[in-house]
Amino acid sequence: MHPDVESILFSEEQLKKRVEEIGAQITRDFAGKQPLFVGVLKGSFMFMADLMRCVDLSCSVDFMAVSSYGNKSVSTGAVKINKDLSADIEGMDVIMVEDILDSGKTLDYLRGYLNGRKPASISIVTLLDKPARRTAPIQADYSGFEIPDAFVVGYGLDYAEKYRNLPYVGILKPCVYENE
Ligand code: IMP
Ligand code: MG
């Protein structure tokens, strides 16, 4: 285990099993459709890559990049779009893929933004959900795990751009960010 990690919340095996379940569910729910998966960079990249391999549909992929956190562990609520979609989504079934739903401000903003382009539908998949911290009116259609109010890293999730490569999700030791 990484020395900055306090404890492992979800192991590689647990993540794999849950991602397979969500992939199978999406495959059933979108049967006969050709959804567009929109990954919200950067945190979703690992989940997205694993999830798509578990989806047995004719589908496509795009990415958006937003910044919300900077190097702090507390959300400012401000969402800046650094990279937009590369193609039109009118009439498409869009599945937004997030690493974690925290306050929900990021996804709430993005959903409204994409809705303006007249997709047929927008669904939300998140690997992790911290419902206790929700302030925006948003709920995931598919959620991997509910987690307590702790700062987690790994499997794509970062703190100050580090730890994304850890193959598990772990709770970061508070001493790593407390001195900021
Ligand atoms: P929201 O807008 O507050 O829902 O924030 C969502 C974004 O905040 C996520 O996509 C993450 O990038 C980041 N975030 C929230 N909580 C955590 C955490 O525990 N670890 C790492 N990143 C987090
Ligand atoms: Mg993110």
Side-chain angles (χ1 to χ4, degrees):
M1 189 166 81
H2 192 289
D4 293 349
V5 171
E6 191 175 270
S7 61
I8 294 181
L9 218 43
F10 305 111
S11 68
E12 236 179 307
E13 292 70 30
Q14 286 173 301
L15 291 168
K16 183 170 185 289
K17 181 167 175 285
R18 188 69 187 114
V19 171
E20 283 169 1
E21 288 170 0
I22 299 173
Q25 206 181 335
I26 290 176
T27 302
R28 284 194 298 275
D29 294 352
F30 287 82
K33 296 184 176 162
Q34 301 193 11
L36 168 69
F37 286 83
V38 173
V40 184
L41 294 173
K42 302 170 192 169
S44 70
F45 79 99
M46 208 174 276
F47 173 46
M48 175 100 162
D50 286 343
L51 178 66
M52 292 212 56
R53 275 177 276 197
C54 300
V55 170
D56 186 14
L57 294 169
S58 164
C59 56
S60 49
V61 189
D62 207 340
F63 291 97
M64 291 188 77
V66 299
S67 30
S68 52
Y69 268 65
N71 287 348
K72 298 256 159 38
S73 57
V74 179
S75 177
T76 59
V79 178
K80 179 168 168 268
I81 294 181
N82 299 321
K83 184 220 170 290
D84 209 326
L85 295 177
S86 49
D88 191 22
I89 57 166
E90 190 173 339
M92 299 187 79
D93 292 297
V94 173
I95 302 179
M96 303 187 66
V97 183
E98 254 285 26
D99 52 355
I100 186 165
L101 251 178
D102 188 29
S103 73
K105 286 176 190 159
T106 311
L107 265 189
D108 190 41
Y109 177 83
L110 282 182
R111 184 177 56 176
Y113 181 74
L114 294 184
N115 225 348
R117 299 183 187 170
K118 312 241 176 312
S121 67
I122 298 186
S123 310
I124 290 170
V125 189
T126 187
L127 176 69
L128 305 174
D129 191 357
K130 280 187 201 173
R133 286 178 44 93
R134 196 66 37 77
T135 57
I138 197 150
Q139 235 182 305
D141 299 285
Y142 306 90
S143 161
F145 302 96
E146 276 195 12
I147 64 167
D149 182 11
F151 199 83
V152 297
V153 294
Y155 197 65
L157 289 115
D158 75 308
Y159 171 68
E161 294 301 325
K162 284 172 68 186
Y163 315 107
R164 293 193 197 274
N165 58 320
L166 301 179
Y168 50 82
V169 172
I171 297 180
L172 190 63
K173 287 181 181 166
C175 63
V176 178
Y177 53 82
E178 258 164 12
N179 300 331
E180 257 194 34

